[in-house]
Amino acid sequence: MTGADASGDASDGFDVIIHAPKRLMICALLDAVAEAEFAVVQERVAVSASVLSKHVAVLMEAGYVAQRKTVRDTRPRVQLRLTSDGRRAYRAHVAALRAIVDAAPDD
């Protein structure tokens, strides 16, 4: 399932999968870099490893995030990155949010 499928209308760009606050933070962080270590994302998003894992699993199931396992200093590490679909969906979601804000009446 992709976010566009979940939102019901792919044309508006709003994505209910990305919209959850912590997933939005994860996507924003990953959009700014080629990839980031799981622990760095965890620290920046300020969640436990289990909470981050659950959010990453949702994003991976949607095809928005990929992970790569590496070893550094003899310790296993997980690198996260937005897929091209994930980057496209995140940017469309941000544009949809901007359109909602811009459409608000000025009082």
Side-chain angles (χ1 to χ4, degrees):
M1 170 172 65
T2 66
D5 296 336
S7 71
D9 183 6
S11 66
D12 68 3
F14 191 90
D15 193 305
V16 295
I17 291 174
I18 292 173
H19 191 65
K22 295 300 182 183
R23 289 195 291 270
L24 183 59
M25 292 172 69
I26 293 164
C27 289
L29 191 151
L30 294 177
D31 187 52
V33 297
E35 67 180 11
E37 191 171 306
F38 184 94
V40 171
V41 176
Q42 179 185 351
E43 179 182 310
R44 297 268 176 94
V45 177
V47 293
S48 68
S50 64
V51 168
L52 180 58
S53 290
K54 289 176 185 176
H55 284 299
V56 167
V58 170
L59 291 166
M60 287 178 64
E61 184 177 323
Y64 292 168
V65 169
Q67 69 179 15
R68 180 174 62 90
K69 296 183 179 188
T70 63
V71 176
R72 188 179 71 191
D73 300 329
T74 70
R75 301 185 80 189
R77 309 286 181 177
V78 175
Q79 303 293 324
L80 302 172
R81 68 173 177 81
L82 279 181
T83 63
S84 56
D85 286 345
R87 195 168 305 277
R88 218 174 0 263
Y90 167 72
R91 291 178 181 175
H93 184 71
V94 169
L97 292 175
R98 285 191 178 119
I100 291 168
V101 171
D102 291 345
D106 292 332
D107 284 339

